[in-house]
Amino acid sequence: METKVGLNFQKIPHNVWILGFVSLLTDISSETIHSLLPLFLVSVLGAGVLTVGLIEGIAEATASVFKIFSGALSDYLGQRKGLAVFGYGISTLVKPLFALSTSPNWVLIARFGDRLGKGIRVAPRDALVADATPVGMRGSAYGLRQSLDTIGAFLGPLAAFSLMALSGNNFRLVFWLAVIPGVLAVILLALGIRETGTTAHKQSRSHPLHFQALASLSREYWILVVVALLFNLGNSSNAFLLLRASEVGISATLVPLTLLVMNLAYSLSAYPAGILSDQLGRVKLLVVGFLLYALVYLGFAFVQSPWQVWSLFALYGLHLGISKGVLLALVSDKVPAALRGTAFGFLNLAVGVALLPASLLAGGLWHQFGSTITFIIGSIFALVAALALLFNNFE
């Protein structure tokens, strides 16, 4: 097994490495801010929990709606790099607004712009990975990109913790410093990526959102879209996990480190999970990932002490490592090359359509009934999604 893993690692295409390091730098920037944002909203700007849910839900829904258009446009043009650079650039340009915010409305504008950039870049970026990678290595390629991405997500909360401690909990200074790695990511992407559009992309100028084009997407693909929708109806913003950690007794200074633990587990598991999906099949691993999520959310519902919170964040990271890259590889296996951007766009639209009501539901349930019911409902949705995959096993 060790030799096989090494060979896969060496054969990962150049574009996947570049995209991975771009994601690493971007996540250092974003997660430094996001790990502190719920506490900043509540403790500095005086926002309520329901407001946090509204901001997070609108932001994530915005990203997902735009993914479908950028993905389809990248298919139509046969050019993905320009859209990816544009999306990363927008996210970087709006980040100073977090430091300048004087009310929750400013945070909403900043989050909207940040997620707008994400919405533009993600589908073309995910399609770039599939364009550059042979079918039998896509699990490994997506897993490696996710691992590098998550190393950045690991370093972001660590930077937030360190900078908060050094600055005497100066949220605004930390937000300013977080802009720097975002700028570096845009430069690396612009200089390092090689466009690898296939012949099918270059020859086809048909509209990817036309009914005939969408009809060519397989039944298996649409099942995956529905499953992703079901799962994400219970997958509220990580802001609620951070608030739960604070509720159980973890101090404001230590709260960002919970995301560090989560992302360490995520980064260590994503690449091995991708390799396993190449060798053993993707659906089985995805079911395991969803079931693990259901158990973790049940744990958050009934957690009573800080050490249990740390363990649950680690298991949540393992769920992400098993599920995220494997789902992307599974989608890329089930769609034509010329419609990859569109397919990833629709998948992310389904996720976004679910995330707004999911975050609003979580905020409303928490406000009315407390955190226990909030996490139990999330667990139930994950269980339903896992059962839907099992009953429609198409591998």
Side-chain angles (χ1 to χ4, degrees):
M1 178 67 72
E2 292 181 359
T3 302
K4 198 163 190 177
V5 170
L7 284 172
N8 282 339
F9 193 76
Q10 292 169 7
K11 291 180 179 179
I12 296 295
H14 167 89
N15 272 8
V16 177
W17 282 105
I18 295 295
L19 290 168
F21 282 110
V22 167
S23 295
L24 186 154
L25 289 167
T26 301
D27 265 26
I28 291 175
S29 176
S30 296
E31 294 303 323
T32 298
I33 295 171
H34 296 165
S35 63
L36 298 172
L37 199 56
L39 297 178
F40 178 71
L41 279 164
V42 173
S43 64
V44 177
L45 300 183
V49 175
L50 189 57
T51 301
V52 174
L54 178 64
I55 288 173
E56 292 299 314
I58 290 174
E60 294 299 336
T62 298
S64 297
V65 168
F66 276 89
K67 286 170 189 174
I68 188 171
F69 296 109
S70 65
L73 185 58
S74 76
D75 286 337
Y76 180 75
L77 298 176
Q79 300 290 323
R80 311 199 194 276
K81 176 182 173 178
L83 286 168
V85 172
F86 183 56
Y88 278 101
I90 289 176
S91 293
T92 300
L93 283 174
V94 301
K95 280 190 169 71
L97 292 179
F98 290 109
L100 298 171
S101 294
T102 56
S103 74
N105 289 336
W106 280 102
V107 174
L108 175 59
I109 292 170
R111 283 287 282 152
F112 180 88
D114 179 40
R115 297 298 89 176
L116 172 62
K118 183 175 182 180
I120 292 170
R121 73 184 183 243
V122 165
R125 181 202 66 196
D126 290 341
L128 274 170
V129 174
D131 289 347
T133 310
V135 174
M137 290 186 62
R138 284 182 188 153
S140 304
Y142 282 108
L144 178 65
R145 198 209 64 79
Q146 292 288 153
S147 288
L148 291 170
D149 178 288
T150 311
I151 289 171
F154 168 86
L155 293 175
L158 181 60
F161 167 75
S162 303
L163 292 171
M164 285 287 281
L166 290 171
S167 66
N169 292 334
N170 188 334
F171 285 93
R172 298 184 191 279
L173 175 61
V174 175
F175 291 167
W176 277 115
L177 293 173
V179 176
I180 297 171
V183 173
L184 295 175
V186 175
I187 294 171
L188 177 60
L189 180 64
L191 298 179
I193 285 292
R194 304 164 186 163
E195 189 73 65
T196 57
T198 65
T199 302
H201 293 148
K202 294 173 182 177
Q203 291 178 348
S204 174
R205 301 288 290 186
S206 62
H207 199 304
L209 295 179
H210 191 276
F211 176 77
Q212 288 182 335
L214 297 180
S216 69
L217 295 171
S218 66
R219 172 183 174 273
E220 290 87 351
Y221 164 75
W222 291 111
I223 289 173
L224 287 172
V225 171
V226 172
V227 167
L229 177 65
L230 285 172
F231 175 79
N232 282 284
L233 284 171
N235 186 18
S236 56
S237 166
N238 286 346
F240 293 100
L241 301 181
L242 299 177
L243 291 173
R244 180 61 170 147
S246 179
E247 185 180 66
V248 172
I250 295 177
S251 69
T253 304
L254 291 176
V255 162
L257 293 185
T258 60
L259 291 181
L260 185 150
V261 170
M262 179 189 79
N263 286 310
L264 177 61
Y266 185 1
S267 65
L268 291 175
S269 59
Y271 182 55
I275 294 173
L276 283 176
S277 78
D278 287 336
Q279 298 173 355
L280 304 178
R282 311 200 200 283
V283 172
K284 300 179 185 69
L285 282 179
L286 198 53
V287 170
V288 169
F290 285 176
L291 291 176
L292 180 58
Y293 178 97
L295 291 173
V296 168
Y297 256 50
L298 275 181
F300 274 110
F302 298 105
V303 65
Q304 295 181 345
S305 62
W307 75 264
Q308 294 171 337
V309 171
W310 295 105
S311 301
L312 287 169
F313 269 96
L315 290 173
Y316 187 76
L318 179 59
H319 145 73
L320 293 171
I322 293 172
S323 304
K324 291 284 189 176
V326 171
L327 176 60
L328 294 175
L330 187 55
V331 168
S332 70
D333 291 345
K334 301 298 179 182
V335 299
L339 288 174
R340 281 177 185 143
T342 305
F344 284 122
F346 269 105
L347 176 72
N348 287 293
L349 176 64
V351 171
V353 166
L355 284 179
L356 178 55
S359 290
L360 290 176
L361 177 64
L365 287 172
W366 194 309
H367 179 73
Q368 290 294 121
F369 305 107
S371 57
T372 298
I373 296 297
T374 303
F375 288 108
I376 288 175
I377 296 298
S379 178
I380 291 172
F381 275 111
L383 182 60
V384 171
L387 291 174
L389 270 180
L390 285 173
F391 286 120
N392 290 280
N393 191 341
F394 45 81
E395 280 192 337

PDB file of all heavy atoms in Angstrom, residues 26-41:
ATOM      1  N   THR A  26      -5.442  30.812   0.302  1.00  0.00           N
ATOM      2  CA  THR A  26      -6.756  31.435   0.433  1.00  0.00           C
ATOM      3  C   THR A  26      -7.415  31.052   1.745  1.00  0.00           C
ATOM      4  O   THR A  26      -8.044  31.887   2.415  1.00  0.00           O
ATOM      5  CB  THR A  26      -7.662  31.037  -0.744  1.00  0.00           C
ATOM      6  OG1 THR A  26      -7.052  31.459  -1.966  1.00  0.00           O
ATOM      7  CG2 THR A  26      -9.031  31.676  -0.630  1.00  0.00           C
ATOM      8  N   ASP A  27      -7.266  29.796   2.136  1.00  0.00           N
ATOM      9  CA  ASP A  27      -7.892  29.360   3.386  1.00  0.00           C
ATOM     10  C   ASP A  27      -7.187  29.918   4.614  1.00  0.00           C
ATOM     11  O   ASP A  27      -7.830  30.125   5.649  1.00  0.00           O
ATOM     12  CB  ASP A  27      -7.954  27.828   3.437  1.00  0.00           C
ATOM     13  CG  ASP A  27      -9.301  27.319   2.949  1.00  0.00           C
ATOM     14  OD1 ASP A  27      -9.930  28.034   2.155  1.00  0.00           O
ATOM     15  OD2 ASP A  27      -9.717  26.232   3.366  1.00  0.00           O
ATOM     16  N   ILE A  28      -5.893  30.138   4.539  1.00  0.00           N
ATOM     17  CA  ILE A  28      -5.231  30.832   5.649  1.00  0.00           C
ATOM     18  C   ILE A  28      -5.889  32.194   5.847  1.00  0.00           C
ATOM     19  O   ILE A  28      -6.224  32.604   6.967  1.00  0.00           O
ATOM     20  CB  ILE A  28      -3.721  31.001   5.390  1.00  0.00           C
ATOM     21  CG1 ILE A  28      -3.010  29.649   5.452  1.00  0.00           C
ATOM     22  CG2 ILE A  28      -3.096  31.962   6.413  1.00  0.00           C
ATOM     23  CD1 ILE A  28      -1.538  29.722   5.080  1.00  0.00           C
ATOM     24  N   SER A  29      -6.088  32.905   4.734  1.00  0.00           N
ATOM     25  CA  SER A  29      -6.708  34.220   4.783  1.00  0.00           C
ATOM     26  C   SER A  29      -8.155  34.145   5.290  1.00  0.00           C
ATOM     27  O   SER A  29      -8.531  34.839   6.242  1.00  0.00           O
ATOM     28  CB  SER A  29      -6.675  34.847   3.379  1.00  0.00           C
ATOM     29  OG  SER A  29      -7.335  36.073   3.349  1.00  0.00           O
ATOM     30  N   SER A  30      -8.948  33.273   4.668  1.00  0.00           N
ATOM     31  CA  SER A  30     -10.377  33.217   4.990  1.00  0.00           C
ATOM     32  C   SER A  30     -10.640  32.687   6.386  1.00  0.00           C
ATOM     33  O   SER A  30     -11.451  33.242   7.139  1.00  0.00           O
ATOM     34  CB  SER A  30     -11.109  32.346   3.962  1.00  0.00           C
ATOM     35  OG  SER A  30     -11.032  32.921   2.677  1.00  0.00           O
ATOM     36  N   GLU A  31      -9.960  31.599   6.764  1.00  0.00           N
ATOM     37  CA  GLU A  31     -10.251  30.976   8.050  1.00  0.00           C
ATOM     38  C   GLU A  31      -9.721  31.776   9.226  1.00  0.00           C
ATOM     39  O   GLU A  31     -10.238  31.649  10.338  1.00  0.00           O
ATOM     40  CB  GLU A  31      -9.711  29.549   8.079  1.00  0.00           C
ATOM     41  CG  GLU A  31     -10.407  28.609   7.107  1.00  0.00           C
ATOM     42  CD  GLU A  31     -11.905  28.539   7.320  1.00  0.00           C
ATOM     43  OE1 GLU A  31     -12.344  28.581   8.492  1.00  0.00           O
ATOM     44  OE2 GLU A  31     -12.650  28.461   6.332  1.00  0.00           O
ATOM     45  N   THR A  32      -8.691  32.585   9.014  1.00  0.00           N
ATOM     46  CA  THR A  32      -8.265  33.496  10.067  1.00  0.00           C
ATOM     47  C   THR A  32      -9.422  34.416  10.438  1.00  0.00           C
ATOM     48  O   THR A  32      -9.687  34.683  11.620  1.00  0.00           O
ATOM     49  CB  THR A  32      -7.057  34.339   9.605  1.00  0.00           C
ATOM     50  OG1 THR A  32      -5.963  33.464   9.324  1.00  0.00           O
ATOM     51  CG2 THR A  32      -6.633  35.324  10.684  1.00  0.00           C
ATOM     52  N   ILE A  33     -10.132  34.874   9.413  1.00  0.00           N
ATOM     53  CA  ILE A  33     -11.287  35.751   9.645  1.00  0.00           C
ATOM     54  C   ILE A  33     -12.493  34.968  10.137  1.00  0.00           C
ATOM     55  O   ILE A  33     -13.120  35.311  11.147  1.00  0.00           O
ATOM     56  CB  ILE A  33     -11.636  36.510   8.350  1.00  0.00           C
ATOM     57  CG1 ILE A  33     -10.497  37.459   7.971  1.00  0.00           C
ATOM     58  CG2 ILE A  33     -12.945  37.275   8.504  1.00  0.00           C
ATOM     59  CD1 ILE A  33     -10.651  38.103   6.604  1.00  0.00           C
ATOM     60  N   HIS A  34     -12.818  33.877   9.455  1.00  0.00           N
ATOM     61  CA  HIS A  34     -14.063  33.168   9.752  1.00  0.00           C
ATOM     62  C   HIS A  34     -14.063  32.517  11.130  1.00  0.00           C
ATOM     63  O   HIS A  34     -15.122  32.375  11.744  1.00  0.00           O
ATOM     64  CB  HIS A  34     -14.336  32.106   8.679  1.00  0.00           C
ATOM     65  CG  HIS A  34     -14.558  32.695   7.322  1.00  0.00           C
ATOM     66  ND1 HIS A  34     -14.517  31.939   6.159  1.00  0.00           N
ATOM     67  CD2 HIS A  34     -14.821  33.957   6.916  1.00  0.00           C
ATOM     68  CE1 HIS A  34     -14.742  32.722   5.120  1.00  0.00           C
ATOM     69  NE2 HIS A  34     -14.923  33.946   5.552  1.00  0.00           N
ATOM     70  N   SER A  35     -12.906  32.115  11.610  1.00  0.00           N
ATOM     71  CA  SER A  35     -12.861  31.493  12.935  1.00  0.00           C
ATOM     72  C   SER A  35     -13.167  32.495  14.044  1.00  0.00           C
ATOM     73  O   SER A  35     -13.561  32.103  15.144  1.00  0.00           O
ATOM     74  CB  SER A  35     -11.489  30.857  13.170  1.00  0.00           C
ATOM     75  OG  SER A  35     -10.470  31.834  13.174  1.00  0.00           O
ATOM     76  N   LEU A  36     -12.998  33.780  13.749  1.00  0.00           N
ATOM     77  CA  LEU A  36     -13.282  34.829  14.734  1.00  0.00           C
ATOM     78  C   LEU A  36     -14.597  35.550  14.478  1.00  0.00           C
ATOM     79  O   LEU A  36     -15.103  36.249  15.362  1.00  0.00           O
ATOM     80  CB  LEU A  36     -12.153  35.866  14.727  1.00  0.00           C
ATOM     81  CG  LEU A  36     -10.762  35.362  15.119  1.00  0.00           C
ATOM     82  CD1 LEU A  36      -9.723  36.446  14.871  1.00  0.00           C
ATOM     83  CD2 LEU A  36     -10.735  34.927  16.576  1.00  0.00           C
ATOM     84  N   LEU A  37     -15.155  35.387  13.285  1.00  0.00           N
ATOM     85  CA  LEU A  37     -16.289  36.209  12.876  1.00  0.00           C
ATOM     86  C   LEU A  37     -17.529  36.043  13.751  1.00  0.00           C
ATOM     87  O   LEU A  37     -18.156  37.057  14.119  1.00  0.00           O
ATOM     88  CB  LEU A  37     -16.619  35.925  11.408  1.00  0.00           C
ATOM     89  CG  LEU A  37     -17.449  36.990  10.680  1.00  0.00           C
ATOM     90  CD1 LEU A  37     -16.779  38.355  10.753  1.00  0.00           C
ATOM     91  CD2 LEU A  37     -17.670  36.578   9.230  1.00  0.00           C
ATOM     92  N   PRO A  38     -17.956  34.809  14.122  1.00  0.00           N
ATOM     93  CA  PRO A  38     -19.138  34.710  14.983  1.00  0.00           C
ATOM     94  C   PRO A  38     -18.964  35.457  16.309  1.00  0.00           C
ATOM     95  O   PRO A  38     -19.880  36.144  16.775  1.00  0.00           O
ATOM     96  CB  PRO A  38     -19.288  33.196  15.202  1.00  0.00           C
ATOM     97  CG  PRO A  38     -18.611  32.579  14.037  1.00  0.00           C
ATOM     98  CD  PRO A  38     -17.460  33.478  13.724  1.00  0.00           C
ATOM     99  N   LEU A  39     -17.782  35.335  16.917  1.00  0.00           N
ATOM    100  CA  LEU A  39     -17.529  36.023  18.187  1.00  0.00           C
ATOM    101  C   LEU A  39     -17.451  37.532  17.980  1.00  0.00           C
ATOM    102  O   LEU A  39     -17.898  38.316  18.826  1.00  0.00           O
ATOM    103  CB  LEU A  39     -16.235  35.509  18.810  1.00  0.00           C
ATOM    104  CG  LEU A  39     -16.222  34.029  19.183  1.00  0.00           C
ATOM    105  CD1 LEU A  39     -14.861  33.626  19.748  1.00  0.00           C
ATOM    106  CD2 LEU A  39     -17.324  33.699  20.177  1.00  0.00           C
ATOM    107  N   PHE A  40     -16.866  37.957  16.845  1.00  0.00           N
ATOM    108  CA  PHE A  40     -16.807  39.380  16.513  1.00  0.00           C
ATOM    109  C   PHE A  40     -18.215  39.950  16.363  1.00  0.00           C
ATOM    110  O   PHE A  40     -18.526  41.041  16.872  1.00  0.00           O
ATOM    111  CB  PHE A  40     -16.008  39.560  15.214  1.00  0.00           C
ATOM    112  CG  PHE A  40     -15.913  40.979  14.719  1.00  0.00           C
ATOM    113  CD1 PHE A  40     -15.139  41.910  15.389  1.00  0.00           C
ATOM    114  CD2 PHE A  40     -16.589  41.364  13.577  1.00  0.00           C
ATOM    115  CE1 PHE A  40     -15.053  43.227  14.929  1.00  0.00           C
ATOM    116  CE2 PHE A  40     -16.498  42.665  13.105  1.00  0.00           C
ATOM    117  CZ  PHE A  40     -15.734  43.603  13.795  1.00  0.00           C
ATOM    118  N   LEU A  41     -19.080  39.220  15.668  1.00  0.00           N
ATOM    119  CA  LEU A  41     -20.454  39.671  15.477  1.00  0.00           C
ATOM    120  C   LEU A  41     -21.201  39.792  16.799  1.00  0.00           C
ATOM    121  O   LEU A  41     -21.898  40.782  17.049  1.00  0.00           O
ATOM    122  CB  LEU A  41     -21.199  38.693  14.555  1.00  0.00           C
ATOM    123  CG  LEU A  41     -20.969  38.846  13.061  1.00  0.00           C
ATOM    124  CD1 LEU A  41     -21.430  37.601  12.312  1.00  0.00           C
ATOM    125  CD2 LEU A  41     -21.707  40.077  12.535  1.00  0.00           C
TER     126      LEU A  41
END
